[in-house]
Every structure is written in C-alpha cells, then in structure tokens.
Amino acid sequence: GENVEQHPSTLSVQEGDSAVIKCTYSDSASNYFPWYKQELGKRPQLIIDIRSNVGEKKDQRIAVTLNKTAKHFSLHITETQPEDSAVYFCAASKVWSGGSNYKLTFGKGTLLTVNP
Amino acid sequence: DTGVSQNPRHKITKRGQNVTFRCDPISEHNRLYWYRQTLGQGPEFLTYFQNEAQLEKSRLLSDRFSAERPKGSFSTLEIQRTEQGDSAMYLCASSLGGTRRSYNEQFFGPGTRLTVL
C-alpha cells in the first residue's frame, strides 16, 4: 500500500519568514495530493491540493510543488503569520482512474510554530 | 451548520464495553470515510462507503469494529469489547464523488474522542 513520509516533524520560524514542509510517497499510481491544516482541537481542513498532471499550484501565500519522477511534493508558505501556527498534514490518494480508491494516506504531520 | 457533524464529541468508556459513534455527512455527498487519529499521528484510514455500499476496509479494522451506512445517509461506527488501544480520535469525512477534481475534496467532521479506561 501507499506510504507517505513527512519532514520535518516540527518547524519553528519567525513571523514573515518562509516555511517549507516536504513529503515523499511510495505508490507511483497516486495522483492526488492534498494538504490539510489542523489547529489544536479542531478538524483537519484542506488548504491546497494538487493533481499529478500539474507541477505547481499557488494560492496567495501558499504553494505546492510536485515532482512525480522523484515522488515527492512540498508545501511552501511565504510571509508566515502567527495564525499559520498549526499541524500540517500531507496526504496522497488515487482518484480519477480505474483503480480509484479515494482513501487518503497521511503523513505524520508537521507542527509549525510562527513566532511573532 | 452544513458541514460534517459527529456525535458524541467525547466518549469515555470502560474496557470491554461497546460504543457507537455517528457521522452525518454533508447532505449531497455520496462518499463517506472513517479515519482514526492518535496523538502525534496523521489520520489513518479505516473504511469507506459509496452511498450505502462499504467498498473498502483497512486491515486496522479488526472484527470488533463494524460500520454501516443505511440508506446512504448517516453512518455509524461500532466498536465491540473496547480495549485501551482503541483510545483515539475517530474522524469522519465526506466527499461529493465524481470525475471533477473538486468533487474529491474530503471534508472532515470534528471527530469523536474515545477514551477507554
């Protein structure tokens, strides 16, 4: 089955700096890669996702890059703010194919702390 | 509130007791997922429904676990003869289903935190 590794497990940055979180996946058939943000005691919420036919996607201060050959993808947050502090999870899934199973396989998470 | 809802939010039980959790997905969503999350870990897939059909079950789902989704609406997850290792946050998610990218976004509920004493 799919295995997703996520690094680092904790990341501390100063407000205004950039933060990068990296994930690798094992199943070359995975084609959908969402990122979720989970604040303490709250539900995971999707912040950005990318399909395997796209190399990069941006949404304001957040961007995700995907390298299918190397089977890794990264989350980039620029101009970090204290409210960005949370646990971030990457995930991988197989969708839109004959072998779709839709379940998400998550990484172990990265605790991001943005210091004012 | 039109999001995914779960009840109860917290459940404390003694080892050996049975517990049942409920998930109400977003109304038009035909796919429903159960995940389990322990402290410091990402959610782990347990099982998945498309409408009322349970299409996949994880190896994590032992015989003590059973899930149903009658009529393709709400879902229940039952754990029989609970063990201390069952203590976790049980998350439900739903998605619309279909071929468009946006239809596959999974929306999570707030979870049910189970503590087995």
Side-chain angles (χ1 to χ4, degrees):
Chain A
E2 176 66 276
N3 183 52
V4 176
E5 300 281 345
Q6 181 172 349
H7 300 279
S9 56
T10 60
L11 180 59
S12 181
V13 300
Q14 290 299 120
E15 183 177 359
D17 288 350
S18 294
V20 180
I21 302 170
K22 299 182 179 182
C23 289
T24 60
Y25 61 99
S26 61
D27 189 343
S28 57
S30 290
N31 56 11
Y32 174 64
F33 306 92
W35 286 87
Y36 282 82
K37 176 183 180 181
Q38 187 174 29
E39 297 177 20
L40 189 63
K42 296 195 174 179
R43 69 189 75 192
Q45 291 197 299
L46 181 74
I47 56 171
I48 195 167
D49 55 13
I50 191 167
R51 294 176 59 173
S52 59
N53 61 350
V54 175
E56 183 175 0
K57 182 179 176 182
K58 275 185 156 181
D59 183 2
Q60 300 183 344
R61 297 185 297 107
I62 294 174
V64 57
T65 58
L66 171 66
N67 183 326
K68 280 193 303 180
T69 303
K71 290 190 282 190
H72 68 70
F73 55 113
S74 301
L75 178 71
H76 304 253
I77 306 175
T78 58
E79 300 170 20
T80 54
Q81 301 166 2
E83 50 266 39
D84 294 329
S85 297
V87 179
Y88 291 81
F89 293 99
C90 61
S93 182
K94 288 192 278 282
V95 299
W96 314 296
S97 69
S100 300
N101 60 20
Y102 308 109
K103 67 182 180 185
L104 294 173
T105 300
F106 285 85
K108 291 189 175 182
T110 296
L111 174 61
L112 174 64
T113 303
V114 180
N115 301 301
Chain B
D1 186 357
T2 56
V4 178
S5 61
Q6 292 185 245
N7 288 288
R9 296 292 307 278
H10 303 273
K11 179 70 178 178
I12 300 174
T13 190
K14 292 183 179 178
R15 189 176 52 191
Q17 298 294 303
N18 299 343
V19 295
T20 300
F21 311 141
R22 176 176 170 130
C23 171
D24 287 89
I26 295 171
S27 60
E28 64 269 27
H29 286 186
N30 64 1
R31 292 188 190 141
L32 187 147
Y33 314 79
W34 285 98
Y35 293 87
R36 180 169 67 188
Q37 185 176 26
T38 53
L39 197 62
Q41 302 293 318
E44 293 177 294
F45 171 78
L46 292 178
T47 190
Y48 148 63
F49 291 84
Q50 180 149 321
N51 299 312
E52 65 276 8
Q54 188 174 18
L55 297 186
E56 186 169 350
K57 291 170 60 173
S58 164
R59 290 189 303 273
L60 293 175
L61 217 63
S62 76
D63 292 344
R64 296 184 298 106
F65 289 70
S66 62
E68 294 182 339
R69 193 183 181 197
K71 302 178 184 177
S73 56
F74 71 92
S75 176
T76 58
L77 177 68
E78 181 183 14
I79 308 175
Q80 295 183 326
R81 305 181 302 281
T82 52
E83 301 173 357
Q84 288 185 323
D86 297 331
S87 295
M89 176 73 84
Y90 289 83
L91 292 165
C92 174
S94 69
S95 67
L96 187 57
T99 56
R100 292 177 60 179
R101 179 186 62 80
S102 61
Y103 289 2
N104 288 285
E105 176 182 348
Q106 292 187 23
F107 294 82
F108 281 82
T112 295
R113 181 167 296 284
L114 173 67
T115 302
V116 181
L117 301 177

